[in-house]
Amino acid sequence: MALSSQLLFFFSALGAFNGLFLALYLWFSKPFTTEKKFLAALLLAISLRISKSIWFYFDPTIGKQFLQIGLSACFLIGPFLYFYIACVTKQLERLTLHWKTHISLLFVIIIVVGTLYPYQSNVDLWGVFYKFINWSWFAYLVASCMLLFPTLSLLITNKSALAKSELVSVNVFFGVSIIWLAYFTASYTSYIVGALTFSFILYMSVSTVMLKTHYKKEVRYANKKIEELAANELLTQLNVLMETEKLYKNANLTLGQLARKMQVSVPQLSQFLNDNMGKSFSSYINEWRIKEAKQLLITEPNMTMEVIAELSGYNAQSTFYSAFKQFEQLTPAKYRHSMLNNS
C-alpha cells in the first residue's frame, strides 16, 4: 500500500476507532443517564457505518455480511440522534410514540428484512434499501432540528447561556448532518469522504467542548465575586422569577434551565450563587421549596405530606423530609403541630 493510501486509511480509520472507544466509555461511565446512552448508541452506529465504508473502500471484496451490518447500523443513526436531542431538550417523555417502542420496531425491521433479504443474495435490492436508509436518516435530521430549534435560536442570540450538554448536542447535530451530506453526495466526490468527515468532526467537537470547559473555569475563578450592582440585579431577577413564576415547584429544575430563563450563562449564575450568596444551586432552590412547604403546612392542616411535598417541588417524600429537617431541625409533622398549637 502506497504512503498516500496508508495516510488516507489512518486518518479515515482514526475517527471510527475513537468513536467506538468513546461510545463504550459513555455507555459504561457514571452517572448512567438516558442522554449518555443515546449518545453512546449514536456514536456506535456511526462508527460501524464508517468502519464498513473504510473496509469496503480499501477492500471491495469484503464479505457482504459486514456490508449488511454497516447499512443496518446506518438505519439507526437518525433515530438515535433524534432521541438524544429529545433527551437534551427535555422532550423525550412527550413524544407520541414511546422511544422504547420506536426503537424496538426499528430492530424488528432490521432483523426481519436482514433475514428474509440478506445482502449476499439481494445486492440490487439492498441498493434500493440504501437509498431508503439515507432518506430516512434525512427525515430524522429534520425532526431533530425541530426539537433543537429553541437551542439553535439561543445559540444565535446568547451563546453563553447554553449549558455544556446543549453545546454538545448542537455539535452532534451539525456533525451528523455533515456526515449525512458527505455520504449523500459521495457519488460526486468519493466514498471515503464520509469517513474522513467523521474523523474531522469528532476531533473538532471534542476540542470545542474542552475549550468551552476551560473557558468556563477561567471565567469562574478569574473574579470570585460578581460586582455588587450586577449581583443586586441578578438577585432581584431571581426573586421575581421565584415569587411570580414559582420555578422552584418544578422538581426537575436545573441550573441550566434557570440560567436560560434569566438569559445569563450557567457559569455566571453558578458564580453568583456560590460566591455572592454563599450557597449552592440546590440549597437556594430548597430554601424556596421549604418556605412553600411551611406555608402549606399551616394554611392547609388537612393536606397530606405527600401532596405538600409535590406542591413544594419535590418528586419524592423522603427527599422532602430530609430537606425540611435539614433547614428546620424538625420533621414537617412536628413543625405543623408546633405552629398550630402556638397559634
Side-chain angles (χ1 to χ4, degrees):
M1 187 184 290
L3 179 61
S4 58
S5 296
Q6 290 177 347
L7 289 173
L8 184 61
F9 178 82
F10 173 77
F11 285 113
S12 58
L14 196 61
F17 174 78
N18 285 284
L20 288 169
F21 179 79
L22 185 56
L24 291 173
Y25 171 77
L26 289 172
W27 188 269
F28 293 106
S29 64
K30 296 180 180 180
F32 302 107
T33 63
T34 306
E35 179 182 316
K36 283 175 60 179
K37 298 292 186 184
F38 277 126
L39 182 56
L42 173 61
L43 283 171
L44 177 62
I46 295 177
S47 298
L48 288 174
R49 174 69 175 93
I50 297 298
S51 299
K52 172 258 181 188
S53 301
I54 296 168
W55 289 112
F56 182 70
Y57 181 82
F58 287 97
D59 182 14
T61 62
I62 191 173
K64 297 295 189 297
Q65 296 88 344
F66 187 64
L67 296 178
Q68 182 173 326
I69 292 173
L71 290 178
S72 299
C74 187
F75 186 52
L76 296 171
I77 294 175
F80 284 143
L81 171 69
Y82 178 70
F83 291 123
Y84 164 67
I85 297 297
C87 269
V88 175
T89 57
K90 312 300 181 186
Q91 300 180 70
L92 185 64
E93 301 303 326
R94 303 177 191 173
L95 300 179
T96 305
L97 183 63
H98 194 274
W99 66 268
K100 290 184 179 178
T101 305
H102 195 133
I103 291 178
S104 297
L105 289 174
L106 294 176
F107 271 103
V108 168
I109 292 173
I110 289 173
I111 294 170
V112 171
V113 172
T115 302
L116 295 179
Y117 307 100
Y119 194 119
Q120 192 166 3
S121 55
N122 297 273
V123 176
D124 293 337
L125 184 59
W126 273 85
V128 178
F129 289 163
Y130 176 66
K131 292 181 180 179
F132 173 78
I133 289 170
N134 271 337
W135 283 111
S136 171
W137 185 353
F138 177 73
Y140 280 105
L141 281 173
V142 174
S144 300
C145 184
M146 293 174 65
L147 292 179
L148 200 60
F149 185 76
T151 304
L152 295 174
S153 300
L154 190 60
L155 178 67
I156 297 172
T157 58
N158 189 6
K159 183 178 179 180
S160 61
L162 289 178
K164 186 168 73 172
S165 62
E166 294 171 319
L167 179 66
V168 171
S169 70
V170 171
N171 277 278
V172 169
F173 170 74
F174 281 111
V176 173
S177 300
I178 294 171
I179 293 170
W180 174 86
L181 185 63
Y183 276 114
F184 191 74
T185 59
S187 57
Y188 305 102
T189 54
S190 173
Y191 191 66
I192 201 65
V193 170
L196 291 170
T197 302
F198 179 53
S199 295
F200 175 76
I201 289 172
L202 181 63
Y203 281 93
M204 284 297 294
S205 298
V206 171
S207 299
T208 301
V209 172
M210 289 178 66
L211 285 172
K212 185 174 178 65
T213 303
H214 179 69
Y215 173 75
K216 282 183 176 181
K217 289 180 179 178
E218 286 185 340
V219 172
R220 174 71 177 81
Y221 295 107
N223 185 6
K224 292 297 287 182
K225 283 192 176 183
I226 296 175
E227 293 182 1
E228 186 176 356
L229 181 61
N232 289 336
E233 291 179 357
L234 286 174
L235 180 59
T236 301
Q237 190 179 359
L238 260 178
N239 288 337
V240 169
L241 280 174
M242 293 301 161
E243 291 172 356
T244 58
E245 299 190 28
K246 299 186 182 298
L247 298 180
Y248 57 86
K249 288 193 173 186
N250 176 7
N252 299 313
L253 182 67
T254 64
L255 181 65
Q257 291 171 340
L258 182 57
R260 285 200 303 273
K261 193 75 175 177
M262 296 175 65
Q263 289 292 296
V264 299
S265 68
V266 173
Q268 185 179 5
L269 179 56
S270 177
Q271 185 174 1
F272 169 71
L273 290 172
N274 284 276
D275 297 331
N276 291 78
M277 297 188 67
K279 59 189 71 175
S280 64
F281 167 73
S282 60
S283 179
Y284 174 76
I285 296 301
N286 273 323
E287 283 183 5
W288 283 94
R289 288 172 176 167
I290 297 303
K291 180 180 177 182
E292 178 76 16
K294 286 163 63 177
Q295 184 177 354
L296 290 173
L297 285 167
I298 298 171
T299 58
E300 303 292 340
N302 297 320
M303 187 175 288
T304 64
M305 295 300 171
E306 184 179 1
V307 175
I308 289 177
E310 184 179 349
L311 292 178
S312 301
Y314 293 97
N315 50 20
Q317 194 171 340
S318 58
T319 307
F320 166 57
Y321 271 83
S322 177
F324 195 97
K325 195 168 183 179
Q326 180 183 353
F327 278 86
E328 299 297 325
Q329 285 74 53
L330 70 166
T331 64
K334 289 182 178 179
Y335 176 85
R336 171 185 272 171
H337 179 76
S338 173
M339 296 302 294
L340 292 178
N341 284 346
N342 292 334
S343 61

